[in-house]
Every structure is written in structure tokens, then in C-alpha cells.
């Protein structure tokens, strides 16, 4: 199946480059372009792409605000969002992930990782730039709201704990299946069960929960 993408970046030359890179990859097709967050939200709601690739720094409605409108808490039919930026700033990553993004990349990531992130987001996985993953998740855990640590609605099984660890390490479903010697469908079942038990909306929130509760 072809993954459809909406690209939003206020710099035309950057936007054009991202579109060319994505359209050159098999199984990915760009169906819309936007120059700011407001246009991105309007186009995304009309075109319903599989994934929105959003720059953070855009005039008016920025990428984080647009992410919140498309994938944030309370959105009935969220669209997968991957945020891309030039700046490796903690507050940008924190804001993007809290707003519901399924991926966070630096613009220097390269074509291969960009394609992987888009495909992962479409499949319900998440990819964060390797340079920031562990450091930022640990930062989020330390800087999160005070009070009692969040607890699962039901105890996690031994296998769910293993899957939790793997997700927190940034592994994809295929990688988890290979490491644990289980089928891909079984991995998906465990991930879905984890989300239900801990109240996570996506894999990024599963990883963040693992750090917050000291499981990672």
C-alpha cells in the first residue's frame, strides 16, 4: 500500500527538497504541501493523508500547535504526525511528543531515515532521531509533573514488560518480533494491550511512561 504524506515547511526550497526525497521512495506519495501550520491543518483535514510531516518553526500556527490540532489529546480521528526541525532543542522535542507526534527528526537525518520515520508513523510505530532519544526521554521523566507515578490499570504480564522495554529502546515491531521470537501479530497485540493498560495513545507515550515509572 502507498503511504500518502502532507509536507509543511515555510521555506519553499526545503519543502521542495522534502517532497522530492519522499516521492523518490517506493510506496510513498506526497499529496499535499503547506507553507505554514494553519494551511497544514486545513489540508490535512481535507485530504486525510496517512502522515503529516511538519516543520516546527513556521509563521502563525507552528508545527507543535498544528500537531496538537491533528493528533493531540481529544482528537477523535487523529492523523499520524512526524515533526522535523533544524534545531536539536529539548523543548521542541518535548512539545512535539506531548502534542501527539509519532516521530521527531532533524533535517540532517537523510533520505533513508526520513522514509523510515514516515513508514513507521503510518504503521503506528514511532521513530525519534537517534541523537536525542534516550537523553530526552530521561529528561522528560525527570521533568514531568510531580505527584505519584502513573500506574497501569492492570498489572503488566512478563511478556508485556519485555515488549515495554523494547519499545522504550526505540525498536520497531519487526525488531521486537525477531528479538523475542514471536510473531509480528503477537507483538502488535502486546503493544495494543500496553496502550490500553497505561492509557498511552502511541508508542512514544509508551516509551515515556517506561522512563517515568523507572522501568527503563
Amino acid at each position: 500500500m502507498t503511504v500518502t504524506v502532507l509536507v509543511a515547511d515555510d521555506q519553499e526550497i526545503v519543502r521542495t527538497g522534502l517532497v522530492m526525497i519522499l516521492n523518490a521512495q517506493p510506496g510513498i506519495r506526497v499529496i499535499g504541501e503547506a507553507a505554514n501550520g494553519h494551511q497544514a491543518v486545513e489540508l490535512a483535514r481535507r485530504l486525510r493523508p496517512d502522515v503529516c510531516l511538519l516543520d516546527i518553526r513556521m509563521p502563525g500556527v507552528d508545527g507543535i500547535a498544528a500537531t496538537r490540532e491533528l493528533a493531540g489529546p481529544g482528537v477523535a480521528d487523529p492523523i499520524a504526525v512526524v515533526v522535523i526541525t533544524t534545531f536539536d532543542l529539548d523543548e521542541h522535542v518535548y512539545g512535539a511528543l506531548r502534542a501527539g507526534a509519532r516521530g521527531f527528526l532533524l533535517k540532517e537525518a537523510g533520505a533513508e531515515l526520513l522514509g523510515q520515520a514516515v513508514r513507521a508513523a503510518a504503521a503506528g510505530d514511532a521513530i525519534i532521531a537517534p541523537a536525542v532519544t534516550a537523553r530526552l526521554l530521561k529528561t522528560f521523566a525527570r521533568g514531568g509533573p510531580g505527584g505519584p507515578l502513573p500506574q497501569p490499570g492492570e498489572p503488566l504480564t512478563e511478556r508485556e514488560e519485555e515488549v515495554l522495554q523494547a519499545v522504550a529502546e526505540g525498536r520497531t515491531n519487526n525488531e521486537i518480533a525477531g528479538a523475542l521470537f514471536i510473531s509480528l501479530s503477537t507483538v502488535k497485540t502486546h503493544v495494543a494491550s500496553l496502550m490500553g493498560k497505561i492509557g498511552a495513545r502511541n508508542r512514544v507515550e509508551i516509551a515515556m511512561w517506561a522512563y517515568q515509572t523507572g522501568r527503563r
Side-chain angles (χ1 to χ4, degrees), residues 98-110:
R98 287 297 191 195
R102 286 189 187 172
F104 183 96
L105 294 180
L106 302 177
K107 289 183 179 178
E108 63 187 32

Side-chain angles (χ1 to χ4, degrees), residues 119-156:
R119 293 188 183 93
D125 289 345
I127 288 183
I128 305 173
V132 299
T133 305
R135 171 176 60 84
L136 286 165
L137 286 173
K138 289 177 181 177
T139 298
F140 299 160
R142 291 195 301 268
L149 292 174
Q151 297 300 320
E154 300 177 35
L156 303 187

Side-chain angles (χ1 to χ4, degrees), residues 45-124:
R45 288 173 174 168
R46 177 160 56 87
L47 300 177
R48 299 297 305 181
D50 296 314
V51 179
C52 290
L53 182 65
L54 306 180
D55 182 31
I56 282 187
R57 291 192 171 182
M58 294 186 288
V61 178
D62 64 18
I64 293 177
T67 298
R68 191 174 297 109
E69 290 194 48
L70 295 172
V75 177
D77 191 12
I79 298 174
V81 172
V82 174
V83 170
I84 186 167
T85 182
T86 306
F87 306 97
D88 178 12
L89 299 177
D90 287 6
E91 60 266 28
H92 285 173
V93 189
Y94 183 89
L97 300 184
R98 287 297 191 195
R102 286 189 187 172
F104 183 96
L105 294 180
L106 302 177
K107 289 183 179 178
E108 63 187 32
E112 183 178 355
L113 188 56
L114 178 61
Q116 290 177 2
V118 166
R119 293 188 183 93

Side-chain angles (χ1 to χ4, degrees), residues 3-215:
V3 177
T4 57
V5 183
L6 170 72
V7 175
D9 195 298
D10 63 318
Q11 295 183 302
E12 184 177 1
I13 190 170
V14 174
R15 190 170 68 249
T16 300
L18 291 171
V19 170
M20 290 178 63
I21 290 171
L22 291 171
N23 279 335
Q25 301 207 28
I28 296 178
R29 180 169 61 92
V30 177
I31 60 171
E33 299 179 43
N36 57 59
H38 179 70
Q39 290 179 359
V41 171
E42 285 192 339
L43 273 178
R45 288 173 174 168
R46 177 160 56 87
L47 300 177
R48 299 297 305 181
D50 296 314
V51 179
C52 290
L53 182 65
L54 306 180
D55 182 31
I56 282 187
R57 291 192 171 182
M58 294 186 288
V61 178
D62 64 18
I64 293 177
T67 298
R68 191 174 297 109
E69 290 194 48
L70 295 172
V75 177
D77 191 12
I79 298 174
V81 172
V82 174
V83 170
I84 186 167
T85 182
T86 306
F87 306 97
D88 178 12
L89 299 177
D90 287 6
E91 60 266 28
H92 285 173
V93 189
Y94 183 89
L97 300 184
R98 287 297 191 195
R102 286 189 187 172
F104 183 96
L105 294 180
L106 302 177
K107 289 183 179 178
E108 63 187 32
E112 183 178 355
L113 188 56
L114 178 61
Q116 290 177 2
V118 166
R119 293 188 183 93
D125 289 345
I127 288 183
I128 305 173
V132 299
T133 305
R135 171 176 60 84
L136 286 165
L137 286 173
K138 289 177 181 177
T139 298
F140 299 160
R142 291 195 301 268
L149 292 174
Q151 297 300 320
E154 300 177 35
L156 303 187
T157 66
E158 182 177 347
R159 181 63 86 187
E160 286 170 347
E161 291 280 4
E162 292 174 336
V163 172
L164 175 70
Q165 289 288 321
V167 171
E169 291 167 2
R171 298 193 184 190
T172 66
N173 283 350
N174 283 325
E175 290 171 338
I176 296 172
L180 299 182
F181 303 102
I182 56 180
S183 69
L184 184 60
S185 62
T186 300
V187 175
K188 292 179 178 179
T189 298
H190 287 312
V191 170
S193 179
L194 277 172
M195 287 193 288
K197 286 185 176 181
I198 69 177
R201 294 170 298 162
N202 52 52
R203 298 168 70 90
V204 172
E205 291 190 355
I206 291 177
M208 293 173 70
W209 185 87
Y211 276 90
Q212 288 176 323
T213 56
R215 286 173 161 82

